[in-house]
Amino acid sequence: MKRALITGVTGQDGSYLAELLLAKGYEVHGLARRTSTVNTARIAHLLADPHEPTTRFFLHRGDLSDGGRLLALLHEIRPDEVYNLAAESYVGASFEEPEHAGEAAGIGAVRLLEAVRRSGAGCRYYQAGSSEMYGAEPPPQSECTPLRPRSPYGAAKAYAHWLTTTYRESYGLHAVNGILFNHESPRRGEVFVTRKVTRAVARIQAGLDDFVYLGNLDAVRDWGYAPEYVEGMWRMLQADEPEDLVLATGESATVREFVAAAFDHAGLDWEKHVRFDQRYVRPAEVESLVGDASRAEERLGWKPRVRFAELVRIMVEADIRALRHEGRHWIDHPEVDGWG
Ligand code: GDD
């Protein structure tokens, strides 16, 4: 049985990746921060009694701020594959807390890489890179596009990207950078623009709210469906040779187009419900991210199937359902003590 360690397991991607690996027969270990409030909602349905002999999903307390803890965990778990998904992933917040962004997404990755190297576990390593690293470079962006980040988050991710490359070239680690364009789902955090909008659509349709406040509607993004992107992460680590690859749909839309499509799906006129708030405009904006994932298709046979219109439908309908059946949404699964 293969063993995997996922950092950031409580996030959107971490939860989908854990599901995918469990379905493939892996033993899955997740690293999650200790918090006083419950932060395991996305993985609550996977948690099981760690004493049961059939349990294959284990949570470990910790984060990327403690290199000693990471090394101890690698010795204990002896994973075959490590997926580093942990970070403060909201770009806007990284302008307010730039040191924290650098610590979590940048230095945190180095601590984990160093722990992997020192443990001698010989495991494969996946680094969650981001299209945000391309920043000011015009689209379409591919593996050949230079990195020109325009946010503390993007700069920290670029640092982690080059450190992963450095560890691969210096120590022969089987380490890859996945450069993922925006990927969304009903599990997307509520601060990101897609989920913020689809949640607002559900609430406005239900008469609970009248308006949603947004920033720059002109930004162009390439939005894919998160479950397909975690499949791409896994495929990257199965390749014989470690190679950095872009995952994207190649389809572009403005934030305004996403907003219009989401409201339209619920039979609402977006212009009556969307208001501008300067607070959501970033000090520097990444205007346009549209990826070219042809190399991933060629190397891994990876090709996204869910496109823009379908993604909007999935997310709007999930938020409408969640509101109608309060208490029965994925975030409301009963808590089980799955701490290992
Ligand atoms: N979040 C947010 N909230 N974004 C807004 C808003 C708003 O009210 N109004 C306009 N936007 C614009 C942002 O300025 C940005 O141009 C675009 O909507 C998308 O914002 P986000 O959904 O926050 O995502 P992101 O593109 O900044 O970053 C996401 O994708 C990266 C990959 O490209 C995050 O998931 C990152 O973690 C990821 O690395």
PDB file of all heavy atoms in Angstrom, residues 89-91 130-132 153 180-182 188 191-193 196 213-216 219 221 255 280 282 285-286 289, ligand 1:
ATOM      1  N   SER A  89      -3.607  30.944   0.934  1.00  0.00           N
ATOM      2  CA  SER A  89      -3.769  30.978  -0.521  1.00  0.00           C
ATOM      3  C   SER A  89      -4.571  32.169  -1.039  1.00  0.00           C
ATOM      4  O   SER A  89      -4.753  32.312  -2.242  1.00  0.00           O
ATOM      5  CB  SER A  89      -4.409  29.672  -0.994  1.00  0.00           C
ATOM      6  OG  SER A  89      -5.630  29.485  -0.333  1.00  0.00           O
ATOM      7  N   TYR A  90      -5.033  33.024  -0.142  1.00  0.00           N
ATOM      8  CA  TYR A  90      -5.789  34.198  -0.587  1.00  0.00           C
ATOM      9  C   TYR A  90      -4.803  35.322  -0.916  1.00  0.00           C
ATOM     10  O   TYR A  90      -4.146  35.876  -0.033  1.00  0.00           O
ATOM     11  CB  TYR A  90      -6.791  34.613   0.499  1.00  0.00           C
ATOM     12  CG  TYR A  90      -7.576  35.852   0.163  1.00  0.00           C
ATOM     13  CD1 TYR A  90      -8.042  36.073  -1.139  1.00  0.00           C
ATOM     14  CD2 TYR A  90      -7.861  36.795   1.124  1.00  0.00           C
ATOM     15  CE1 TYR A  90      -8.751  37.216  -1.452  1.00  0.00           C
ATOM     16  CE2 TYR A  90      -8.585  37.939   0.826  1.00  0.00           C
ATOM     17  CZ  TYR A  90      -9.021  38.141  -0.468  1.00  0.00           C
ATOM     18  OH  TYR A  90      -9.732  39.275  -0.784  1.00  0.00           O
ATOM     19  N   VAL A  91      -4.698  35.646  -2.188  1.00  0.00           N
ATOM     20  CA  VAL A  91      -3.708  36.623  -2.665  1.00  0.00           C
ATOM     21  C   VAL A  91      -3.903  37.979  -1.997  1.00  0.00           C
ATOM     22  O   VAL A  91      -2.938  38.636  -1.588  1.00  0.00           O
ATOM     23  CB  VAL A  91      -3.792  36.748  -4.207  1.00  0.00           C
ATOM     24  CG1 VAL A  91      -2.875  37.853  -4.705  1.00  0.00           C
ATOM     25  CG2 VAL A  91      -3.470  35.417  -4.870  1.00  0.00           C
ATOM     26  N   SER A 130       1.767  28.136  -8.566  1.00  0.00           N
ATOM     27  CA  SER A 130       0.568  28.902  -8.904  1.00  0.00           C
ATOM     28  C   SER A 130       0.796  29.764 -10.137  1.00  0.00           C
ATOM     29  O   SER A 130       1.874  30.338 -10.317  1.00  0.00           O
ATOM     30  CB  SER A 130       0.222  29.802  -7.720  1.00  0.00           C
ATOM     31  OG  SER A 130      -0.679  30.813  -8.118  1.00  0.00           O
ATOM     32  N   SER A 131      -0.261  29.912 -10.924  1.00  0.00           N
ATOM     33  CA  SER A 131      -0.175  30.818 -12.072  1.00  0.00           C
ATOM     34  C   SER A 131       0.027  32.256 -11.615  1.00  0.00           C
ATOM     35  O   SER A 131       0.463  33.105 -12.397  1.00  0.00           O
ATOM     36  CB  SER A 131      -1.440  30.708 -12.926  1.00  0.00           C
ATOM     37  OG  SER A 131      -2.580  30.905 -12.130  1.00  0.00           O
ATOM     38  N   GLU A 132      -0.276  32.531 -10.359  1.00  0.00           N
ATOM     39  CA  GLU A 132      -0.031  33.863  -9.795  1.00  0.00           C
ATOM     40  C   GLU A 132       1.456  34.241  -9.928  1.00  0.00           C
ATOM     41  O   GLU A 132       1.804  35.419  -9.968  1.00  0.00           O
ATOM     42  CB  GLU A 132      -0.493  33.867  -8.331  1.00  0.00           C
ATOM     43  CG  GLU A 132      -0.352  35.178  -7.589  1.00  0.00           C
ATOM     44  CD  GLU A 132      -1.335  36.272  -7.998  1.00  0.00           C
ATOM     45  OE1 GLU A 132      -2.332  35.978  -8.672  1.00  0.00           O
ATOM     46  OE2 GLU A 132      -1.069  37.440  -7.645  1.00  0.00           O
ATOM     47  N   TYR A 153       2.239  36.929  -2.147  1.00  0.00           N
ATOM     48  CA  TYR A 153       1.933  35.504  -2.306  1.00  0.00           C
ATOM     49  C   TYR A 153       2.633  34.933  -3.542  1.00  0.00           C
ATOM     50  O   TYR A 153       3.275  33.881  -3.477  1.00  0.00           O
ATOM     51  CB  TYR A 153       0.408  35.342  -2.425  1.00  0.00           C
ATOM     52  CG  TYR A 153      -0.035  33.967  -2.894  1.00  0.00           C
ATOM     53  CD1 TYR A 153      -0.200  32.927  -1.999  1.00  0.00           C
ATOM     54  CD2 TYR A 153      -0.305  33.732  -4.254  1.00  0.00           C
ATOM     55  CE1 TYR A 153      -0.614  31.665  -2.442  1.00  0.00           C
ATOM     56  CE2 TYR A 153      -0.715  32.482  -4.695  1.00  0.00           C
ATOM     57  CZ  TYR A 153      -0.868  31.462  -3.778  1.00  0.00           C
ATOM     58  OH  TYR A 153      -1.276  30.214  -4.219  1.00  0.00           O
ATOM     59  N   LEU A 180      -0.489  25.537 -11.283  1.00  0.00           N
ATOM     60  CA  LEU A 180      -1.928  25.416 -11.506  1.00  0.00           C
ATOM     61  C   LEU A 180      -2.598  26.782 -11.640  1.00  0.00           C
ATOM     62  O   LEU A 180      -2.360  27.684 -10.827  1.00  0.00           O
ATOM     63  CB  LEU A 180      -2.564  24.626 -10.357  1.00  0.00           C
ATOM     64  CG  LEU A 180      -2.578  23.094 -10.546  1.00  0.00           C
ATOM     65  CD1 LEU A 180      -1.209  22.533 -10.871  1.00  0.00           C
ATOM     66  CD2 LEU A 180      -3.202  22.390  -9.373  1.00  0.00           C
ATOM     67  N   PHE A 181      -3.407  26.888 -12.667  1.00  0.00           N
ATOM     68  CA  PHE A 181      -4.244  28.068 -12.835  1.00  0.00           C
ATOM     69  C   PHE A 181      -5.449  27.910 -11.900  1.00  0.00           C
ATOM     70  O   PHE A 181      -5.647  26.856 -11.304  1.00  0.00           O
ATOM     71  CB  PHE A 181      -4.622  28.236 -14.313  1.00  0.00           C
ATOM     72  CG  PHE A 181      -3.462  28.802 -15.120  1.00  0.00           C
ATOM     73  CD1 PHE A 181      -2.281  28.085 -15.256  1.00  0.00           C
ATOM     74  CD2 PHE A 181      -3.534  30.070 -15.682  1.00  0.00           C
ATOM     75  CE1 PHE A 181      -1.191  28.620 -15.941  1.00  0.00           C
ATOM     76  CE2 PHE A 181      -2.455  30.608 -16.370  1.00  0.00           C
ATOM     77  CZ  PHE A 181      -1.285  29.887 -16.502  1.00  0.00           C
ATOM     78  N   ASN A 182      -6.237  28.994 -11.772  1.00  0.00           N
ATOM     79  CA  ASN A 182      -7.336  28.986 -10.793  1.00  0.00           C
ATOM     80  C   ASN A 182      -8.212  27.755 -10.966  1.00  0.00           C
ATOM     81  O   ASN A 182      -8.604  27.422 -12.084  1.00  0.00           O
ATOM     82  CB  ASN A 182      -8.192  30.249 -10.964  1.00  0.00           C
ATOM     83  CG  ASN A 182      -7.398  31.516 -10.743  1.00  0.00           C
ATOM     84  OD1 ASN A 182      -6.301  31.670 -11.265  1.00  0.00           O
ATOM     85  ND2 ASN A 182      -7.948  32.430  -9.974  1.00  0.00           N
ATOM     86  N   ARG A 188     -14.608  25.614  -2.505  1.00  0.00           N
ATOM     87  CA  ARG A 188     -13.743  26.779  -2.561  1.00  0.00           C
ATOM     88  C   ARG A 188     -14.018  27.671  -1.354  1.00  0.00           C
ATOM     89  O   ARG A 188     -15.186  27.861  -0.965  1.00  0.00           O
ATOM     90  CB  ARG A 188     -14.061  27.527  -3.856  1.00  0.00           C
ATOM     91  CG  ARG A 188     -13.121  28.651  -4.225  1.00  0.00           C
ATOM     92  CD  ARG A 188     -11.717  28.203  -4.335  1.00  0.00           C
ATOM     93  NE  ARG A 188     -10.993  28.928  -5.358  1.00  0.00           N
ATOM     94  CZ  ARG A 188      -9.705  29.263  -5.242  1.00  0.00           C
ATOM     95  NH1 ARG A 188      -9.027  28.941  -4.169  1.00  0.00           N
ATOM     96  NH2 ARG A 188      -9.092  29.872  -6.235  1.00  0.00           N
ATOM     97  N   VAL A 191     -13.757  33.484   0.426  1.00  0.00           N
ATOM     98  CA  VAL A 191     -13.147  34.777   0.089  1.00  0.00           C
ATOM     99  C   VAL A 191     -12.762  34.868  -1.378  1.00  0.00           C
ATOM    100  O   VAL A 191     -12.555  35.955  -1.903  1.00  0.00           O
ATOM    101  CB  VAL A 191     -11.879  35.078   0.927  1.00  0.00           C
ATOM    102  CG1 VAL A 191     -12.230  35.317   2.377  1.00  0.00           C
ATOM    103  CG2 VAL A 191     -10.831  34.003   0.771  1.00  0.00           C
ATOM    104  N   PHE A 192     -12.645  33.745  -2.042  1.00  0.00           N
ATOM    105  CA  PHE A 192     -12.239  33.769  -3.460  1.00  0.00           C
ATOM    106  C   PHE A 192     -13.432  34.195  -4.308  1.00  0.00           C
ATOM    107  O   PHE A 192     -14.578  33.891  -3.986  1.00  0.00           O
ATOM    108  CB  PHE A 192     -11.715  32.388  -3.884  1.00  0.00           C
ATOM    109  CG  PHE A 192     -10.518  31.989  -3.079  1.00  0.00           C
ATOM    110  CD1 PHE A 192     -10.649  31.193  -1.951  1.00  0.00           C
ATOM    111  CD2 PHE A 192      -9.251  32.443  -3.425  1.00  0.00           C
ATOM    112  CE1 PHE A 192      -9.553  30.857  -1.180  1.00  0.00           C
ATOM    113  CE2 PHE A 192      -8.143  32.105  -2.663  1.00  0.00           C
ATOM    114  CZ  PHE A 192      -8.287  31.305  -1.533  1.00  0.00           C
ATOM    115  N   VAL A 193     -13.146  34.865  -5.425  1.00  0.00           N
ATOM    116  CA  VAL A 193     -14.230  35.600  -6.079  1.00  0.00           C
ATOM    117  C   VAL A 193     -15.342  34.676  -6.591  1.00  0.00           C
ATOM    118  O   VAL A 193     -16.527  35.026  -6.493  1.00  0.00           O
ATOM    119  CB  VAL A 193     -13.676  36.530  -7.188  1.00  0.00           C
ATOM    120  CG1 VAL A 193     -13.301  35.773  -8.453  1.00  0.00           C
ATOM    121  CG2 VAL A 193     -14.654  37.642  -7.485  1.00  0.00           C
ATOM    122  N   LYS A 196     -17.413  33.500  -3.603  1.00  0.00           N
ATOM    123  CA  LYS A 196     -18.065  34.675  -3.011  1.00  0.00           C
ATOM    124  C   LYS A 196     -19.306  35.019  -3.826  1.00  0.00           C
ATOM    125  O   LYS A 196     -20.378  35.305  -3.285  1.00  0.00           O
ATOM    126  CB  LYS A 196     -17.073  35.849  -2.995  1.00  0.00           C
ATOM    127  CG  LYS A 196     -17.600  37.113  -2.370  1.00  0.00           C
ATOM    128  CD  LYS A 196     -16.497  38.164  -2.277  1.00  0.00           C
ATOM    129  CE  LYS A 196     -17.027  39.496  -1.796  1.00  0.00           C
ATOM    130  NZ  LYS A 196     -15.957  40.518  -1.747  1.00  0.00           N
ATOM    131  N   TYR A 213     -20.480  42.932  -2.728  1.00  0.00           N
ATOM    132  CA  TYR A 213     -19.497  43.991  -2.996  1.00  0.00           C
ATOM    133  C   TYR A 213     -18.224  43.375  -3.564  1.00  0.00           C
ATOM    134  O   TYR A 213     -17.629  42.492  -2.943  1.00  0.00           O
ATOM    135  CB  TYR A 213     -19.193  44.757  -1.714  1.00  0.00           C
ATOM    136  CG  TYR A 213     -20.403  45.550  -1.240  1.00  0.00           C
ATOM    137  CD1 TYR A 213     -21.384  44.941  -0.454  1.00  0.00           C
ATOM    138  CD2 TYR A 213     -20.566  46.878  -1.613  1.00  0.00           C
ATOM    139  CE1 TYR A 213     -22.507  45.657  -0.045  1.00  0.00           C
ATOM    140  CE2 TYR A 213     -21.689  47.601  -1.206  1.00  0.00           C
ATOM    141  CZ  TYR A 213     -22.654  46.978  -0.436  1.00  0.00           C
ATOM    142  OH  TYR A 213     -23.776  47.678  -0.041  1.00  0.00           O
ATOM    143  N   LEU A 214     -17.822  43.851  -4.730  1.00  0.00           N
ATOM    144  CA  LEU A 214     -16.655  43.288  -5.405  1.00  0.00           C
ATOM    145  C   LEU A 214     -15.679  44.383  -5.813  1.00  0.00           C
ATOM    146  O   LEU A 214     -16.012  45.572  -5.803  1.00  0.00           O
ATOM    147  CB  LEU A 214     -17.095  42.515  -6.660  1.00  0.00           C
ATOM    148  CG  LEU A 214     -18.044  41.332  -6.446  1.00  0.00           C
ATOM    149  CD1 LEU A 214     -18.500  40.774  -7.797  1.00  0.00           C
ATOM    150  CD2 LEU A 214     -17.376  40.230  -5.618  1.00  0.00           C
ATOM    151  N   GLY A 215     -14.475  43.936  -6.224  1.00  0.00           N
ATOM    152  CA  GLY A 215     -13.445  44.868  -6.684  1.00  0.00           C
ATOM    153  C   GLY A 215     -13.362  44.897  -8.202  1.00  0.00           C
ATOM    154  O   GLY A 215     -14.356  45.171  -8.889  1.00  0.00           O
ATOM    155  N   ASN A 216     -12.187  44.550  -8.721  1.00  0.00           N
ATOM    156  CA  ASN A 216     -11.904  44.649 -10.155  1.00  0.00           C
ATOM    157  C   ASN A 216     -12.643  43.578 -10.974  1.00  0.00           C
ATOM    158  O   ASN A 216     -12.340  42.398 -10.881  1.00  0.00           O
ATOM    159  CB  ASN A 216     -10.382  44.500 -10.337  1.00  0.00           C
ATOM    160  CG  ASN A 216      -9.967  44.489 -11.783  1.00  0.00           C
ATOM    161  OD1 ASN A 216     -10.719  44.918 -12.662  1.00  0.00           O
ATOM    162  ND2 ASN A 216      -8.759  43.996 -12.027  1.00  0.00           N
ATOM    163  N   ALA A 219     -10.518  41.774 -14.423  1.00  0.00           N
ATOM    164  CA  ALA A 219      -9.461  40.754 -14.396  1.00  0.00           C
ATOM    165  C   ALA A 219      -9.908  39.525 -15.186  1.00  0.00           C
ATOM    166  O   ALA A 219     -11.081  39.139 -15.149  1.00  0.00           O
ATOM    167  CB  ALA A 219      -9.150  40.360 -12.956  1.00  0.00           C
ATOM    168  N   ARG A 221      -9.373  35.491 -15.876  1.00  0.00           N
ATOM    169  CA  ARG A 221      -8.848  34.277 -15.268  1.00  0.00           C
ATOM    170  C   ARG A 221      -9.244  33.055 -16.102  1.00  0.00           C
ATOM    171  O   ARG A 221     -10.161  33.093 -16.928  1.00  0.00           O
ATOM    172  CB  ARG A 221      -9.388  34.089 -13.843  1.00  0.00           C
ATOM    173  CG  ARG A 221      -8.799  35.059 -12.820  1.00  0.00           C
ATOM    174  CD  ARG A 221      -7.318  34.822 -12.578  1.00  0.00           C
ATOM    175  NE  ARG A 221      -6.763  35.687 -11.549  1.00  0.00           N
ATOM    176  CZ  ARG A 221      -6.275  36.907 -11.766  1.00  0.00           C
ATOM    177  NH1 ARG A 221      -6.309  37.435 -12.988  1.00  0.00           N
ATOM    178  NH2 ARG A 221      -5.763  37.616 -10.783  1.00  0.00           N
ATOM    179  N   VAL A 255     -13.875  38.506 -14.640  1.00  0.00           N
ATOM    180  CA  VAL A 255     -14.668  38.352 -13.413  1.00  0.00           C
ATOM    181  C   VAL A 255     -16.113  38.763 -13.722  1.00  0.00           C
ATOM    182  O   VAL A 255     -17.071  38.112 -13.293  1.00  0.00           O
ATOM    183  CB  VAL A 255     -14.060  39.202 -12.269  1.00  0.00           C
ATOM    184  CG1 VAL A 255     -14.974  39.212 -11.049  1.00  0.00           C
ATOM    185  CG2 VAL A 255     -12.668  38.688 -11.904  1.00  0.00           C
ATOM    186  N   TYR A 280     -11.603  45.735  -2.141  1.00  0.00           N
ATOM    187  CA  TYR A 280     -11.265  44.471  -2.797  1.00  0.00           C
ATOM    188  C   TYR A 280     -10.332  44.636  -3.991  1.00  0.00           C
ATOM    189  O   TYR A 280     -10.039  43.672  -4.697  1.00  0.00           O
ATOM    190  CB  TYR A 280     -12.546  43.725  -3.205  1.00  0.00           C
ATOM    191  CG  TYR A 280     -13.383  43.398  -1.996  1.00  0.00           C
ATOM    192  CD1 TYR A 280     -14.624  43.990  -1.806  1.00  0.00           C
ATOM    193  CD2 TYR A 280     -12.906  42.538  -1.015  1.00  0.00           C
ATOM    194  CE1 TYR A 280     -15.380  43.723  -0.678  1.00  0.00           C
ATOM    195  CE2 TYR A 280     -13.645  42.265   0.127  1.00  0.00           C
ATOM    196  CZ  TYR A 280     -14.886  42.858   0.284  1.00  0.00           C
ATOM    197  OH  TYR A 280     -15.609  42.600   1.409  1.00  0.00           O
ATOM    198  N   ARG A 282      -6.683  45.219  -5.324  1.00  0.00           N
ATOM    199  CA  ARG A 282      -5.355  44.970  -4.770  1.00  0.00           C
ATOM    200  C   ARG A 282      -4.371  46.069  -5.171  1.00  0.00           C
ATOM    201  O   ARG A 282      -4.540  46.681  -6.228  1.00  0.00           O
ATOM    202  CB  ARG A 282      -4.861  43.605  -5.262  1.00  0.00           C
ATOM    203  CG  ARG A 282      -5.782  42.525  -4.721  1.00  0.00           C
ATOM    204  CD  ARG A 282      -5.591  41.194  -5.367  1.00  0.00           C
ATOM    205  NE  ARG A 282      -6.650  40.308  -4.870  1.00  0.00           N
ATOM    206  CZ  ARG A 282      -6.864  39.088  -5.295  1.00  0.00           C
ATOM    207  NH1 ARG A 282      -6.095  38.563  -6.234  1.00  0.00           N
ATOM    208  NH2 ARG A 282      -7.843  38.363  -4.778  1.00  0.00           N
ATOM    209  N   GLU A 285      -2.530  44.491  -9.491  1.00  0.00           N
ATOM    210  CA  GLU A 285      -3.442  43.451  -9.979  1.00  0.00           C
ATOM    211  C   GLU A 285      -2.752  42.592 -11.030  1.00  0.00           C
ATOM    212  O   GLU A 285      -1.953  43.084 -11.836  1.00  0.00           O
ATOM    213  CB  GLU A 285      -4.691  44.128 -10.567  1.00  0.00           C
ATOM    214  CG  GLU A 285      -5.716  43.191 -11.187  1.00  0.00           C
ATOM    215  CD  GLU A 285      -6.385  42.238 -10.185  1.00  0.00           C
ATOM    216  OE1 GLU A 285      -5.712  41.264  -9.785  1.00  0.00           O
ATOM    217  OE2 GLU A 285      -7.547  42.471  -9.823  1.00  0.00           O
ATOM    218  N   VAL A 286      -3.039  41.311 -10.998  1.00  0.00           N
ATOM    219  CA  VAL A 286      -2.633  40.424 -12.086  1.00  0.00           C
ATOM    220  C   VAL A 286      -3.799  40.443 -13.066  1.00  0.00           C
ATOM    221  O   VAL A 286      -4.878  39.933 -12.789  1.00  0.00           O
ATOM    222  CB  VAL A 286      -2.335  39.006 -11.548  1.00  0.00           C
ATOM    223  CG1 VAL A 286      -2.165  38.030 -12.695  1.00  0.00           C
ATOM    224  CG2 VAL A 286      -1.088  39.029 -10.679  1.00  0.00           C
ATOM    225  N   LEU A 289      -4.629  35.876 -16.620  1.00  0.00           N
ATOM    226  CA  LEU A 289      -3.977  34.567 -16.528  1.00  0.00           C
ATOM    227  C   LEU A 289      -4.770  33.580 -17.381  1.00  0.00           C
ATOM    228  O   LEU A 289      -5.946  33.313 -17.101  1.00  0.00           O
ATOM    229  CB  LEU A 289      -3.957  34.082 -15.072  1.00  0.00           C
ATOM    230  CG  LEU A 289      -3.100  34.883 -14.081  1.00  0.00           C
ATOM    231  CD1 LEU A 289      -3.323  34.379 -12.656  1.00  0.00           C
ATOM    232  CD2 LEU A 289      -1.622  34.801 -14.458  1.00  0.00           C
TER     233      LEU A 289
HETATM  234  N1  GDD B   1     -11.212  37.466  -3.868  1.00  0.00           N
HETATM  235  C1  GDD B   1     -11.797  38.465  -4.530  1.00  0.00           C
HETATM  236  N2  GDD B   1     -12.805  39.151  -3.944  1.00  0.00           N
HETATM  237  N3  GDD B   1     -11.360  38.755  -5.771  1.00  0.00           N
HETATM  238  C2  GDD B   1     -11.967  39.741  -6.445  1.00  0.00           C
HETATM  239  C3  GDD B   1     -13.036  40.481  -5.892  1.00  0.00           C
HETATM  240  C4  GDD B   1     -13.461  40.174  -4.576  1.00  0.00           C
HETATM  241  O1  GDD B   1     -14.376  40.775  -4.017  1.00  0.00           O
HETATM  242  N4  GDD B   1     -13.445  41.376  -6.815  1.00  0.00           N
HETATM  243  C5  GDD B   1     -12.674  41.230  -7.905  1.00  0.00           C
HETATM  244  N5  GDD B   1     -11.781  40.235  -7.675  1.00  0.00           N
HETATM  245  C6  GDD B   1     -10.722  39.788  -8.623  1.00  0.00           C
HETATM  246  C7  GDD B   1      -9.333  39.769  -8.027  1.00  0.00           C
HETATM  247  O2  GDD B   1      -8.777  41.086  -7.982  1.00  0.00           O
HETATM  248  C8  GDD B   1      -8.632  38.838  -9.006  1.00  0.00           C
HETATM  249  O3  GDD B   1      -8.214  39.558 -10.146  1.00  0.00           O
HETATM  250  C9  GDD B   1      -9.744  37.867  -9.440  1.00  0.00           C
HETATM  251  O4  GDD B   1     -10.964  38.448  -8.998  1.00  0.00           O
HETATM  252  C10 GDD B   1      -9.596  36.479  -8.836  1.00  0.00           C
HETATM  253  O5  GDD B   1      -9.401  36.623  -7.447  1.00  0.00           O
HETATM  254  P1  GDD B   1      -9.369  35.338  -6.469  1.00  0.00           P
HETATM  255  O6  GDD B   1     -10.579  34.521  -6.660  1.00  0.00           O
HETATM  256  O7  GDD B   1      -9.092  35.866  -5.092  1.00  0.00           O
HETATM  257  O8  GDD B   1      -8.179  34.458  -7.038  1.00  0.00           O
HETATM  258  P2  GDD B   1      -6.691  34.830  -7.499  1.00  0.00           P
HETATM  259  O9  GDD B   1      -6.636  34.730  -8.993  1.00  0.00           O
HETATM  260  O10 GDD B   1      -6.219  36.079  -6.893  1.00  0.00           O
HETATM  261  O11 GDD B   1      -5.832  33.653  -6.833  1.00  0.00           O
HETATM  262  C11 GDD B   1      -6.283  32.306  -6.900  1.00  0.00           C
HETATM  263  O12 GDD B   1      -5.701  31.634  -7.977  1.00  0.00           O
HETATM  264  C12 GDD B   1      -4.276  31.446  -7.881  1.00  0.00           C
HETATM  265  C13 GDD B   1      -3.835  30.724  -9.141  1.00  0.00           C
HETATM  266  O13 GDD B   1      -3.798  31.640 -10.190  1.00  0.00           O
HETATM  267  C14 GDD B   1      -5.945  31.641  -5.556  1.00  0.00           C
HETATM  268  O14 GDD B   1      -6.540  30.375  -5.518  1.00  0.00           O
HETATM  269  C15 GDD B   1      -4.461  31.444  -5.412  1.00  0.00           C
HETATM  270  O15 GDD B   1      -4.179  30.717  -4.209  1.00  0.00           O
HETATM  271  C16 GDD B   1      -3.961  30.662  -6.623  1.00  0.00           C
HETATM  272  O16 GDD B   1      -2.583  30.418  -6.490  1.00  0.00           O
END
